[in-house]
Amino acid sequence: MNMEKTFRLLLASVFCCAVSLQTMAYDYETRHEIAVGVGSSAISQSSGSLSNMTAIPIEAMLSSIFSGGTHAAYTTYENKSKVVPISVEYFYHPSSWFGFGGILAFNSVKQDIVSVDNRNGGGSTREVVGDAKKTNFAVMPAVKFDWLRKKHFGMYSKVAAGVTFQSEKQNSNGKKLIDQNKVNFGCQVSAIGLEGGWPFVRAFLELGAGEQGYACFGVRAKF
């Protein structure tokens, strides 16, 4: 074997070795990742009793009795507004396909308390007399499965389960009606996750359900 062939073989070996080392460095040295995401409605914002306000006692019957049946007044909730789920997560990867860590997620729901006065002769009046607000803060251990892990693109799924700390406050005309705290079950199941960009900084999109929302997108850093 002449010197030229030897040099080409050595160069090819070095190139293959460099490619292998780069792959190993990406797959195994980037063991940590931190992500910040924004999602659509969380379960605690949109599912039955978790998002509904604690009802203020209905006053229609009493108001009708004391007014001699001339009018019946009651309270209801209107003009719902939401702060979409905002989340932060961390995962540690002992291998290229599996990671474990945790997720912190926050959201809130706010509504006006409206007094409705229906008069016996017809017609009604509506007046905003207060506000009601629920905030939810979830703490969830999580695991992540990387189905595809490339230099600029990845696919994965993740599952998280923990607790959601819920605070509810209702006020009307300067008076505190309800001030209570609850602890509920919280979870997140992201069946499909896609990420793309640079090896160490990527945008991501997830589809699933839970405290991060039915869809969640954001930025992830790997190191």
Side-chain angles (χ1 to χ4, degrees):
M1 183 180 294
N2 58 32
M3 185 65 68
E4 183 178 354
K5 288 184 178 180
T6 302
F7 177 75
R8 288 180 180 178
L9 181 60
L10 181 61
L11 185 63
S13 300
V14 171
F15 176 78
C16 290
C17 182
V19 171
S20 299
L21 288 173
Q22 174 62 28
T23 302
M24 290 178 63
Y26 175 69
D27 283 344
Y28 298 104
E29 290 184 8
T30 57
R31 295 182 181 273
H32 309 272
E33 61 178 66
I34 298 174
V36 178
V38 177
S40 60
S41 293
I43 286 179
S44 56
Q45 289 181 301
S46 58
S47 62
S49 61
L50 289 177
S51 61
N52 291 340
M53 300 297 176
T54 302
I56 299 172
I58 296 175
E59 304 165 356
M61 183 177 293
L62 290 177
S63 62
S64 179
I65 292 173
F66 286 111
S67 66
T70 59
H71 67 92
Y74 63 93
T75 55
T76 186
Y77 299 94
E78 297 180 357
N79 306 320
K80 178 184 286 188
S81 62
K82 300 178 181 180
V83 173
V84 296
I86 301 170
S87 60
V88 178
E89 62 184 46
Y90 166 80
F91 284 96
Y92 172 75
H93 287 267
S95 70
S96 60
W97 65 272
F98 175 75
F100 63 90
I103 300 171
L104 302 177
F106 169 85
N107 70 72
S108 70
V109 178
K110 185 176 181 181
Q111 290 179 279
D112 290 332
I113 301 174
V114 178
S115 175
V116 182
D117 190 347
N118 292 323
R119 299 194 174 275
N120 192 30
S124 65
T125 59
R126 310 175 76 87
E127 180 184 3
V128 176
V129 295
D131 61 83
K133 185 176 182 180
K134 271 189 177 182
T135 59
N136 301 285
F137 183 76
V139 181
M140 302 176 292
V143 293
K144 183 179 179 183
F145 305 95
D146 287 88
W147 309 120
L148 181 63
R149 188 176 170 95
K150 298 295 184 180
K151 187 175 182 180
H152 298 287
F153 180 75
M155 294 181 63
Y156 60 90
S157 300
K158 72 181 184 187
V159 179
V163 295
T164 299
F165 300 96
Q166 186 177 83
S167 173
E168 180 181 358
K169 299 181 185 298
Q170 297 192 43
N171 302 281
S172 178
N173 296 322
K175 181 182 178 181
K176 185 178 293 184
L177 303 176
I178 293 175
D179 187 355
Q180 62 184 11
N181 299 293
K182 296 180 181 179
V183 178
N184 300 310
F185 173 73
C187 67
Q188 176 68 33
V189 178
S190 296
I192 300 175
L194 304 173
E195 61 180 29
W198 296 276
F200 305 110
V201 180
R202 297 184 176 186
F204 69 86
L205 171 65
E206 297 176 6
L207 300 178
E211 290 307 304
Q212 289 182 287
Y214 298 103
C216 180
F217 65 93
V219 178
R220 174 173 291 119
K222 298 171 175 281
F223 56 95

